[in-house]
Amino acid sequence: MTATDVPISAEGNPIGFGRMHRKEDARFLRGAGKYVDDVTLPGMLHGAILRSPIAHARITSIDTSAAEAHPKVKAVITGQTLEGLGLAWMPTLSQDTQSVLCTDKVRFQGQEVAFVIAEDKYSARDALQLIDVDYEPLDAVVDAKHALDDDAPIVRDDLEGRTDNHIYDWEAGDATKCDEVFRNAEVVVTQEMLYPRVHPAPMETCGSVASMDPISGKLTIWTTTQAPHAHRTLYALVAGLPEHKIQVISPDIGGGFGNKVGIYPGYVCSIVGSIVTGKPVKWMEDRSENLMSTSFARDYHMTGSIAATRDGKIQGLKVDVLADHGAFNGVAQPTKFPAGFFHIFTGSYDYDAAHCNVTAVYTNKAPGGVAYACSFRVTEAVYLVERMVDCLADELGMDPAELRMNNLLKPEQFPYTTPTGWEYDSGDYPRALDEAMRIAGYDELRTEQAEKRRAYEAGESSMLMGIGISFFTEGVGAGPRKHMDILGLGMADGCELRIHPTGKAVVRLSVQSQGQGHETTFAQIISHELGIPPEDIDVVHGDTDNTPFGLGTYGSRSTPVSGAAAAVVARRVKDKSRIIAAAALECSPDDLEWEHGRWFVKGDPDNGKTIQDIAMAAHSSLELPEGVEGHLDATAVYDPPELTYPFGAYICVTDVDAGTGEVKVRRFIAVDDCGPRINPMIVEGQVHGGVADGIGMALMELIAFERDGTNLGGSFMDYLLPTSMECPSYELGETVTPSPHHPLGVKGVGESATVGSPAAVVNSVLDAIGVRAADMPLTPAVVWRAMQGSPLRMDLALE
Amino acid sequence: MQVKMTVNGEEREADVEARMLLVHYLRDELGLTGTHWGCDTSNCGTCTVAVDGQAIKSCTMLAAMAGGRDVETVEGVAVGGELDPVQEGFMREHGLQCGFCTPGMIMTARWLLARDPDPDEATIREAISGNLCRCTGYENIVRAVRWAAEHPEGATDAEEVSA
Ligand code: FES
Ligand code: FES
């Protein structure tokens, strides 16, 4: 259905897909959103966490007596308290364990050591100063490249029999075949690169309010989670609380980007705090705690090699990765894939062979490892391949657009199985790249660039100009139960739809919005299927007592999985409405035809029943056929048959001052293909935000460390987010290639731009300065040093 | 200590610690949770309110310093429940996603428009550069402020229908 076919409701909204203002905005605009820190309960106490100032140290003693004597302090919890409850350690989402409050030694700066509960938050913070901890410092492993050295200190001596910092080796592809392709290749280019440690840094930090009702034994926890149902099950498994006595409420969430997938020690402490004190306990981390202790992203040291013929036919790609997971392997991803979906690193091109090997190590840094809108490490994968293609173009002296165009998968190759086993569902890649080049005015840009370079070389100007391209393919919508689970929980999503007698509806989702606008988009999906105006459809989410089970919102999975569940559930209601309409019209269901929210008798369009009439009839005394129950509702669980594969072509134009190394992003062109767009306004907003993320990562964002493990990115003074001054106006385009296996054809878009944009920015800057490689973030210092031929390593402080 | 100020047109008085930040006073004492808190270093701007008409990051001011002054928060913006043009611009141009930065952005935009009713894009970008947004990439926020500049009385009836 094209936008112009969509009927318009009395309130001016499309009855189905199309641009529509968001339903959730009414409260956000008035300051009436309800975020976790806005929850206040009678008698509520406040918690604060004492954190380690040192990256690696044995704790020899903790004296909490002075803190306990503080007049406003109600309790102090340490690792010892938790040990008594069996809660000093908790499982991570990737079958590792993580310390809740330290019992033996601290393993990263900012690790949780003690939890103070006081009458107000200022007193809780005051009391942290009164806790006396004796630390016996140990050497720290900070550089992942030395984590496997023989003399490296062992981070995880808590694990039985552990004598090194090795977590896993994982490979995909055919190493033998790949070696053969490389041996016979005319051209091989090898390049080391670091995708440095960055942080999702949503504007709202993480926190929770836990309230244990001592009489009913019911625990209610309001918490910043992208996956409320998964959290509930984990609390049941970890704490041994009966699952039906746990209600997880994820209210309005101030951005997630992967930061709010896992369970953090603070959440557990607030729960224990509520049990211990018998009062509700709120814990909200501050910004430094957020940046220093919660899930970081990337930290991938990659060495890529690309093989090709001299005339530019790409033949092979291989990569070795050293993955820094920090002190605990807290990565959230499907169990079978310890490196996430990194093996989609072959990207959008055709090869004879490909192979990757990922080795993961522990270091004395904060745990986590998959976050920041990365589609389970597709971000690292896309960065690798799109940088390698540019390195190859540089080696061959070819235009990077031409090299890409010659090697992109062709539409007739879909469905396409990659050398590492992914089955891409659909795509028309050359069309997307063409469209991006058309919007950019690619040839004119190259002409302008040549003139800028001439003037620079003639000493007339210090300004250079770069044009960078990135083409990405993502695999999203995790995932098929046959391949994917997290901690044994299959990645399907439930959905429930109820049509009230007057034809108004309520749809209950298992996923949760952190700003993606689900209250609008999912109403539009139901509206599209049933012809009910979106304003008549209420979307309920984020409360485990009131929604069906499902694994939550991350990895761009809401529309691919939960959106499909919503479509399926609406179709079930529609099927039933046909039977009821037939009963009311005294005809056979087969005699009915559907259009815009009503069933009518074929050949007699005036003789019909609207979905609203049918809803009333379904609840009335109308006699229904044998075996048909009254009312109009349905449930569904959607197990995606495969992932969906959104793709896009991005072009970034930068101006670089060669004198200072300063980069200005002049233009950013983003052509996205995420299948049909349910609400184009929301899709565009998702792309805008993702491009800004990419600009941030490419130019500014970095969590670096001192050699002793001191975190150098622990505040917004040090960890720089892009502001309105660094971001350009975005120029968007689209192509539409529906997914053949999704009921709505949609593919998911939440992370596309975060995944695709960093390589475009980096390629652009390097194109400007004529240097093959330099690592993010391309700060003025990095750019300037790269131009002098002495690149900087930014992830560690200088020795 | 006793502090007394006008908040959204009402006299408010409370006994607070001298060190209490204005942001915490508004949120925790008065329950005005529309003003947010997002950093420890005065970088994010989610706490922005108007104090005597000036956009102020309320985490940089003690409640005591606002004594005797006129404070306006996002809760005071929609008069009689009707969105003001800045709020309406944010809705129409999709200038918000998670909504966490939005109250601060709205207060900053109102301050800008009060001083400069017709700002160009560069001026808007500079004015909001102390307010971080992790969701929108800023473009639609810039458009939202432009919309408000172009519609000082809010939407016309014709736009109402096409919206
Ligand atoms: S809370 Fe971040 S600037 Fe005030
Ligand atoms: S809308 Fe989420 S931070 Fe701005």
Side-chain angles (χ1 to χ4, degrees):
Chain A
M1 198 185 270
T2 63
T4 47
D5 298 333
V6 178
I8 300 298
S9 76
E11 289 190 16
N13 295 317
I15 303 182
F17 295 177
R19 280 173 200 277
M20 164 179 165
H21 299 140
R22 299 196 321 168
K23 292 158 69 108
E24 40 274 87
D25 289 356
R27 63 177 185 276
F28 294 142
L29 291 167
R30 292 173 170 86
K34 197 170 184 90
Y35 301 87
V36 170
D37 198 22
D38 303 342
V39 173
T40 299
L41 301 175
M44 187 174 80
L45 302 173
H46 297 263
I49 292 177
L50 180 72
R51 293 175 183 277
S52 167
I54 307 174
H56 200 192
R58 196 158 297 286
I59 292 188
T60 50
S61 71
I62 303 180
D63 180 357
T64 59
S65 54
E68 278 159 8
H70 187 289
K72 293 199 166 165
V73 167
K74 295 292 176 193
V76 180
I77 295 170
T78 64
Q80 231 177 359
T81 328
L82 294 182
E83 224 164 20
L85 301 165
L87 289 174
W89 291 78
M90 62 179 182
T92 69
L93 294 177
S94 34
Q95 283 121 343
D96 195 359
T97 51
Q98 173 171 358
S99 164
V100 177
L101 292 176
C102 181
T103 49
D104 53 348
K105 62 177 191 178
V106 289
R107 292 174 173 81
F108 69 94
Q109 189 198 32
Q111 187 177 330
E112 299 77 5
V113 173
F115 188 70
V116 170
I117 302 160
E119 284 171 23
D120 63 86
K121 61 186 172 200
Y122 284 26
S123 301
R125 295 263 164 172
D126 288 344
L128 295 182
Q129 315 293 324
L130 302 174
I131 300 175
D132 198 6
V133 184
D134 275 333
Y135 295 98
E136 183 187 297
L138 301 167
D139 284 344
V141 192
V142 181
D143 186 351
K145 292 184 170 176
H146 293 294
L148 298 178
D149 289 357
D150 288 341
D151 59 351
I154 310 301
V155 179
R156 297 299 302 278
D157 45 5
D158 57 294
L159 299 171
E160 254 320 276
R162 174 62 66 169
T163 55
D164 60 20
N165 295 314
H166 181 258
I167 309 177
Y168 63 80
D169 288 313
W170 189 80
E171 63 173 337
D174 186 335
T176 319
K177 194 165 161 205
C178 206
D179 283 345
E180 191 186 310
V181 168
F182 273 80
R183 241 191 333 272
N184 299 322
E186 290 169 7
V187 181
V188 171
V189 182
T190 298
Q191 183 61 53
E192 265 187 62
M193 62 188 87
L194 169 65
Y195 205 134
R197 180 176 280 237
V198 290
H199 198 281
M203 294 317 297
E204 177 204 32
T205 58
C206 300
S208 54
V209 179
S211 177
M212 172 61 99
D213 182 330
I215 300 169
S216 67
K218 176 144 181 170
L219 169 71
T220 307
I221 174 162
W222 288 259
T223 182
T224 48
T225 174
Q226 299 176 223
H229 290 278
H231 279 208
R232 184 191 63 199
T233 304
L234 287 178
Y235 289 134
L237 294 173
V238 174
L241 296 167
E243 196 170 3
H244 66 297
K245 298 264 189 198
I246 304 171
Q247 179 180 16
V248 176
I249 300 173
S250 177
D252 289 324
I253 299 294
F257 318 108
N259 191 219
K260 294 167 180 168
V261 175
I263 290 180
Y264 294 121
Y267 303 166
V268 178
C269 287
S270 69
I271 294 171
V272 173
S274 179
I275 295 171
V276 169
T277 61
K279 295 271 180 2
V281 173
K282 177 188 280 186
W283 167 74
M284 272 318 286
E285 65 186 6
D286 62 28
R287 180 55 61 186
S288 294
E289 296 181 280
N290 176 253
L291 289 167
M292 290 174 67
S293 72
T294 63
S295 197
F296 71 95
R298 330 284 191 252
D299 220 337
Y300 255 34
H301 298 258
M302 304 186 275
T303 305
S305 292
I306 191 163
T309 61
R310 188 138 295 288
D311 60 359
K313 167 80 190 90
I314 296 174
Q315 296 166 307
L317 184 64
K318 59 183 180 183
V319 53
D320 279 309
V321 180
L322 179 64
D324 185 339
H325 282 229
F328 309 102
N329 186 14
V331 177
Q333 86 247 306
T335 309
K336 268 194 215 165
F337 305 103
F341 298 166
F342 180 75
H343 55 307
I344 200 168
F345 71 96
T346 58
S348 315
Y349 313 100
D350 200 5
Y351 304 81
D352 298 329
H355 180 258
C356 70
N357 179 66
V358 182
T359 296
V361 296
Y362 290 119
T363 59
N364 290 113
K365 299 182 188 171
V370 60
Y372 200 177
C374 71
S375 289
F376 298 120
R377 298 219 190 266
V378 181
T379 314
E380 288 92 325
V382 167
Y383 184 74
L384 182 276
V385 60
E386 291 305 301
R387 284 292 303 121
M388 289 313 297
V389 169
D390 259 40
C391 291
L392 177 64
D394 183 46
E395 178 76 19
L396 298 173
M398 257 178 101
D399 182 280
E402 187 189 344
L403 180 62
R404 283 182 173 81
M405 195 58 98
N406 291 346
N407 286 282
L408 283 175
L409 291 167
K410 304 199 172 26
E412 58 273 18
Q413 286 176 278
F414 291 86
Y416 173 81
T417 305
T418 75
T420 51
W422 297 95
E423 271 184 53
Y424 293 178
D425 54 355
S426 62
D428 186 345
Y429 293 179
R431 185 158 63 114
L433 182 53
D434 261 338
E435 177 64 1
M437 290 171 71
R438 184 192 65 77
I439 297 172
Y442 189 76
D443 294 339
E444 295 90 90
L445 286 173
R446 285 286 176 211
T447 310
E448 184 191 348
Q449 180 189 35
E451 168 51 26
K452 288 255 161 67
R453 182 150 275 279
R454 191 209 53 77
Y456 168 74
E457 277 162 10
E460 293 162 16
S461 155
S462 69
M463 294 308 293
L464 288 166
M465 169 185 166
I467 305 153
I469 305 175
S470 165
F471 199 103
F472 69 91
T473 302
E474 278 184 284
V476 306
R481 288 176 59 169
K482 59 189 175 196
H483 308 307
M484 290 176 197
D485 68 272
I486 290 183
L487 283 187
L489 298 171
M491 301 186 79
D493 274 279
C495 189
E496 295 172 7
L497 175 62
R498 207 180 289 170
I499 315 292
H500 300 313
T502 57
K504 316 288 182 193
V506 55
V507 59
R508 297 169 192 278
L509 312 178
S510 59
V511 293
Q512 161 63 347
S513 170
Q514 307 105 43
Q516 297 91 334
H518 289 175
E519 287 164 49
T520 307
T521 304
F522 281 80
Q524 290 187 268
I525 293 174
I526 303 298
S527 180
H528 172 80
E529 295 292 330
L530 291 177
I532 299 173
E535 61 266 23
D536 289 351
I537 302 163
D538 211 24
V539 175
V540 176
H541 57 169
D543 177 346
T544 55
D545 271 11
N546 291 301
T547 56
F549 188 86
L551 277 208
T553 296
Y554 44 84
S556 301
R557 64 188 298 284
S558 288
T559 328
V561 188
S562 199
V568 168
V569 93
R571 287 172 194 182
R572 287 189 181 157
V573 162
K574 189 167 146 187
D575 289 346
K576 183 166 175 185
S577 75
R578 183 178 200 165
I579 298 169
I580 294 166
L585 293 165
E586 297 179 354
C587 64
S588 152
D590 294 340
D591 296 337
L592 295 178
E593 203 167 312
W594 173 264
E595 196 189 25
H596 294 329
R598 73 192 272 277
W599 288 107
F600 63 90
V601 178
K602 283 178 197 161
D604 184 9
D606 290 343
N607 193 12
K609 292 275 176 206
T610 64
I611 187 78
Q612 290 81 2
D613 298 337
I614 299 167
M616 187 56 88
H619 292 82
S620 72
S621 55
L622 174 74
E623 199 176 320
L624 297 172
E626 188 65 27
V628 177
E629 291 176 344
H631 302 184
L632 198 52
D633 38 40
T635 65
V637 175
Y638 188 77
D639 174 23
E642 292 298 338
L643 298 183
T644 56
Y645 294 85
F647 60 91
Y650 290 176
I651 297 180
C652 176
V653 183
T654 53
D655 293 304
V656 181
D657 187 331
T660 61
E662 197 185 348
V663 176
K664 179 91 195 148
V665 177
R666 188 204 301 180
R667 294 175 66 193
F668 200 103
I669 295 99
V671 174
D672 276 272
D673 192 325
C674 54
R677 298 183 173 197
I678 297 165
N679 185 328
M681 177 191 86
I682 288 178
V683 170
E684 288 160 13
Q686 296 289 301
V687 174
H688 288 178
V691 173
D693 286 349
I695 291 170
M697 283 181 278
L699 302 181
M700 324 160 64
E701 295 180 28
L702 173 72
I703 305 262
F705 289 84
E706 287 282 1
R707 304 269 163 172
D708 66 359
T710 301
N711 189 315
L712 297 174
S715 81
F716 279 164
M717 305 275 231
D718 313 286
Y719 191 79
L720 304 182
L721 303 191
T723 74
S724 51
M725 303 301 281
E726 285 80 40
C727 296
S729 266
Y730 313 102
E731 299 167 63
L732 306 190
E734 71 176 298
T735 61
V736 179
T737 317
S739 169
H741 60 74
H742 186 285
L744 299 168
V746 301
K747 292 187 162 188
V749 75
E751 298 162 316
S752 291
T754 316
V755 166
S757 60
V761 181
V762 171
N763 284 344
S764 180
V765 174
L766 297 179
D767 180 60
I769 63 177
V771 169
R772 185 176 284 181
D775 286 327
M776 298 182 283
L778 297 175
T779 63
V782 174
V783 171
W784 193 83
R785 284 279 296 263
M787 291 191 74
Q788 317 311 313
S790 53
L792 274 173
R793 181 172 176 188
M794 291 290 283
D795 60 319
L796 284 175
L798 293 175
E799 248 170 318
Chain B
M1 63 183 293
Q2 210 62 21
V3 294
K4 196 167 164 181
M5 67 186 85
T6 309
V7 180
N8 297 332
E10 268 179 58
E11 277 295 303
R12 304 301 293 254
E13 195 172 349
D15 186 19
V16 301
E17 282 189 64
R19 63 177 172 168
M20 180 173 270
L21 298 176
L22 179 58
V23 62
H24 292 144
Y25 176 70
L26 295 170
R27 289 181 51 81
D28 302 337
E29 299 294 319
L30 305 187
L32 294 169
T33 54
T35 301
H36 296 150
W37 173 84
C39 72
D40 325 319
T41 48
S42 304
N43 288 95
C44 76
T46 59
C47 62
T48 308
V49 300
V51 177
D52 292 340
Q54 286 283 326
I56 296 280
K57 291 180 173 176
S58 62
C59 71
T60 62
M61 199 181 222
L62 298 171
M65 292 159 74
R69 301 174 74 174
D70 187 13
V71 178
E72 190 187 27
T73 71
V74 69
E75 287 93 341
V77 172
V79 182
E82 287 292 305
L83 299 181
D84 94 328
V86 172
Q87 291 170 313
E88 196 170 350
F90 271 74
M91 179 192 70
R92 286 173 180 271
E93 299 293 345
H94 189 32
L96 69 158
Q97 291 182 24
C98 77
F100 202 78
C101 70
T102 311
M105 287 286 184
I106 287 174
M107 298 313 287
T108 302
R110 283 168 52 88
W111 161 82
L112 168 68
L113 293 174
R115 294 191 328 160
D116 179 354
D118 191 23
D120 62 11
E121 179 182 337
T123 309
I124 296 169
R125 284 189 180 271
E126 196 170 329
I128 63 168
S129 63
N131 293 70
L132 297 173
C133 174
R134 199 60 158 159
C135 301
T136 66
Y138 304 103
E139 167 151 15
N140 287 349
I141 295 178
V142 174
R143 288 192 198 159
V145 180
R146 270 310 307 163
W147 190 94
E150 282 157 21
H151 299 80
E153 307 299 328
T156 61
D157 286 351
E159 283 164 323
E160 215 49 88
V161 176
S162 70

